[in-house]
Amino acid sequence: MSAAPFSARRAIGVVLATLLGFFFFNALLGVFGLSVAIIALLLFISMAVVIFYARSLDRTQS
Amino acid sequence: MKLDPEVLARVQFAFTVTFHIIFPTMSIGLAAFLMVIEGLWLKTKDPVYLEIYRFWMGIFAMGFGVGVVTGIVLSFEFGLGFAKFAQIAGPAIGPSIGLEVLTAFFLEAGFLGIMLFGLKRVGPKLHFFATCMVALGTQISASWILSANSWMQTPDGIAIENGRVVVTNWLRVIHNPSWLVRLPHMLLAAFITGSFFVAGVGAWYLLCGKHEIFGRRTVSLGLGFATVAVACQLFVGDLLYGRMLHYQPSKMQAAEGFWEENSASPAPYNWVIIPDQTNQRNRFTLATPVLGSLWLTHSLKGRVAGLKNTPRDLQPTMGMVFYGFHTMFIVAILMFFIVGVSLWLRVQKRLFSTRWFLRALVIMTPSGFIATIAGWYTAETGRQPWVIWGILRTADAISPVPGGAMLATLIAFVVIYALFITAFLVFAFRMIRRGPEDAPDHAEASGSLVNALRTQVMDHAAATHPGEGR
């Protein structure tokens, strides 16, 4: 019973992450202008650093 | 058969420089990685970091050695194949290349010995300082070479007097219009190359089920560095695109695969073309609608300028530039996809157990090298027919050397470089297969001669001083 909702949630997550990735890719390429590109770069790096520190320890990953 | 010295000189330089660029790219990337790893080891005292350092130091040392040897050849090739270029441009680029030796090689050579052999001979802080200096040296070296090459792309600070370049402003020669964007582009390429190399090897260990802790840590760190570097590279790449569109429009016109003076509106983005340079058209095009306007003009209806804007005799060969640029760009897209997925899997806590992703990482191990070589092909073929943009044509820069001599030296280079790459690959694969646990504390001098000499010396010492312990 729990597998279906979990998969749906994961599918939604994948779609949202893909859209976010697509946005970042275009923003970094300067599609929305230089200022948005700089903000996107800072946001992307901050997000990566936060995720890295929160999840980087081998012990927490499988 | 008539041998064309111009074609042979260009093929020879292309071959040797393609081979060479693999190694400095790896050296710059791995030196920075080793610096961070040793810093982490000093901070945390975690032995896994030391294990990672010792393992990658061996591969770095081999790559560094091959890079130096193959780089020296290039300087001689200026004389062999492009003597007129060296004669005309020497006053501008000669000092940059000389300063590379003075400021970078001396720094690297001075500290490389401590880095490779001093782990148990000097204090850890001095050893870390040596690693930092080697990493800094590789980057200073890159900055001088990029300065010289960028001057060839966007020459500045000179006057032409009696057919020779005369420097009027040294600062503008070094700090020419494209250097400050091309330098970070190249350094980021090296960091990305090193990161994917490291992560790919770690992923291979995880897939094989051996050296698990080492594999996890290298995959994690490699992807961490790659994530930041790839994002920065997309940003810097777009800045460079704009800069080159301004200074070398024909290069970017060829890179995008459009012929007409203005493309349709909105412009498609070309992925595959079969260009027909003679008739100034594409025989085949595979493209995505609208994306060309969006990515290249940053608007929904912008038009993209085509190669017909450039007179025929000043056009580069579109196919070379287009596929160089698109190989680099498609690899960049794949890299961004990989680092994006790595963030997602990290959040999901499945980074080390998702086998398809680990396989993808192994496949992506050489991706940085491929993208870097493709990028340099874009830069160099897109500059044609000029060797110094707007000043000296490649055809006028060739040495008055018979085609036969060029062919003979080309064959010699191919044979010698094939030996180099074979040796490097054999030893690198052997080190990777052996794994980190067998990595020595310092780079080992291999070969029977050293061992034979050592045995003889020790036997001699034992014979002359029989009572002394060793």
Side-chain angles (χ1 to χ4, degrees), chain B residues 343-360:
Chain B
L343 285 177
W344 172 256
L345 290 174
R346 224 185 263 270
V347 170
Q348 299 276 311
K349 298 185 181 179
R350 292 187 291 127
L351 186 60
F352 307 124
S353 58
T354 309
R355 291 187 73 80
W356 71 263
F357 181 72
L358 295 176
R359 281 192 203 102

Side-chain angles (χ1 to χ4, degrees), chain B residues 294-417:
Chain B
L294 201 63
W295 280 351
L296 307 178
T297 68
H298 300 164
S299 72
L300 282 172
K301 291 190 175 174
R303 294 173 191 271
V304 181
L307 198 53
K308 281 184 181 173
N309 286 292
T310 303
R312 274 194 183 218
D313 63 330
L314 297 180
Q315 289 177 359
T317 307
M318 183 183 273
M320 298 278 283
V321 189
F322 178 88
Y323 283 108
F325 182 77
H326 279 72
T327 304
M328 175 182 68
F329 188 54
I330 289 168
V331 173
I333 293 172
L334 288 174
M335 285 172 165
F336 188 76
F337 173 76
I338 289 287
V339 298
V341 173
S342 81
L343 285 177
W344 172 256
L345 290 174
R346 224 185 263 270
V347 170
Q348 299 276 311
K349 298 185 181 179
R350 292 187 291 127
L351 186 60
F352 307 124
S353 58
T354 309
R355 291 187 73 80
W356 71 263
F357 181 72
L358 295 176
R359 281 192 203 102
L361 272 184
V362 173
I363 293 167
M364 291 292 283
T365 305
S367 58
F369 299 108
I370 294 167
T372 305
I373 291 170
W376 275 103
Y377 270 69
T378 310
E380 298 302 292
T381 58
R383 194 189 55 224
Q384 302 304 321
W386 303 103
V387 66
I388 306 170
W389 183 263
I391 293 175
L392 180 66
R393 283 173 179 262
T394 310
D396 299 329
I398 304 297
S399 304
V401 175
M406 294 302 301
L407 183 64
T409 48
L410 172 61
I411 292 168
F413 280 134
V414 170
V415 171
I416 293 166
Y417 280 32

Side-chain angles (χ1 to χ4, degrees), chain B residues 41 86 157 164 177 186 201 206 244 319 363 378 396 408 410 469:
Chain B
W41 173 58
R164 290 210 179 174
M186 179 61 209
V201 172
L206 292 180
M244 298 326 285
I363 293 167
T378 310
D396 299 329
L410 172 61

Side-chain angles (χ1 to χ4, degrees), chain B residues 155-446:
Chain B
D156 199 6
I158 53 139
I160 306 293
E161 288 178 11
N162 301 322
R164 290 210 179 174
V165 165
V166 176
V167 175
T168 55
N169 186 331
W170 271 112
L171 196 62
R172 282 170 61 188
V173 169
I174 296 163
H175 187 284
N176 57 74
S178 62
W179 177 62
L180 267 186
V181 192
R182 295 182 79 232
L183 175 63
H185 192 54
M186 179 61 209
L187 291 179
L188 284 166
F191 298 152
I192 293 168
T193 302
S195 303
F196 272 92
F197 188 23
V198 165
V201 172
W204 185 71
Y205 284 140
L206 292 180
L207 281 171
C208 295
K210 53 185 185 182
H211 315 301
E212 187 109 351
I213 296 170
F214 176 92
R216 283 175 174 231
R217 197 69 63 89
T218 47
V219 166
S220 178
L221 286 166
L223 283 172
F225 293 133
T227 305
V228 174
V230 169
C232 292
Q233 188 68 302
L234 289 176
F235 177 76
V236 172
D238 185 63
L239 290 183
L240 179 58
Y241 187 95
R243 187 63 61 102
M244 298 326 285
L245 199 60
H246 178 73
Y247 286 100
Q248 293 184 327
S250 61
K251 178 188 281 182
M252 304 329 287
Q253 289 157 9
E256 295 307 346
F258 290 101
W259 288 102
E260 298 308 318
E261 289 186 4
N262 274 306
S263 71
S265 172
Y269 191 80
N270 295 331
W271 295 103
V272 180
I273 61 167
I274 300 177
D276 180 353
Q277 193 96 14
T278 312
N279 297 308
Q280 304 275 285
R281 66 185 181 89
N282 287 331
R283 285 186 198 151
F284 173 79
T285 306
L286 181 68
T288 306
V290 188
L291 207 53
S293 290
L294 201 63
W295 280 351
L296 307 178
T297 68
H298 300 164
S299 72
L300 282 172
K301 291 190 175 174
R303 294 173 191 271
V304 181
L307 198 53
K308 281 184 181 173
N309 286 292
T310 303
R312 274 194 183 218
D313 63 330
L314 297 180
Q315 289 177 359
T317 307
M318 183 183 273
M320 298 278 283
V321 189
F322 178 88
Y323 283 108
F325 182 77
H326 279 72
T327 304
M328 175 182 68
F329 188 54
I330 289 168
V331 173
I333 293 172
L334 288 174
M335 285 172 165
F336 188 76
F337 173 76
I338 289 287
V339 298
V341 173
S342 81
L343 285 177
W344 172 256
L345 290 174
R346 224 185 263 270
V347 170
Q348 299 276 311
K349 298 185 181 179
R350 292 187 291 127
L351 186 60
F352 307 124
S353 58
T354 309
R355 291 187 73 80
W356 71 263
F357 181 72
L358 295 176
R359 281 192 203 102
L361 272 184
V362 173
I363 293 167
M364 291 292 283
T365 305
S367 58
F369 299 108
I370 294 167
T372 305
I373 291 170
W376 275 103
Y377 270 69
T378 310
E380 298 302 292
T381 58
R383 194 189 55 224
Q384 302 304 321
W386 303 103
V387 66
I388 306 170
W389 183 263
I391 293 175
L392 180 66
R393 283 173 179 262
T394 310
D396 299 329
I398 304 297
S399 304
V401 175
M406 294 302 301
L407 183 64
T409 48
L410 172 61
I411 292 168
F413 280 134
V414 170
V415 171
I416 293 166
Y417 280 32
L419 287 174
F420 272 136
I421 194 81
T422 307
F424 176 80
L425 288 175
V426 165
F427 284 108
F429 277 122
R430 189 181 289 175
M431 287 169 86
I432 291 168
R433 213 173 35 240
R434 253 188 349 205
E437 282 149 18
D438 291 334
D441 287 332
H442 54 81
E444 277 181 337
S446 61

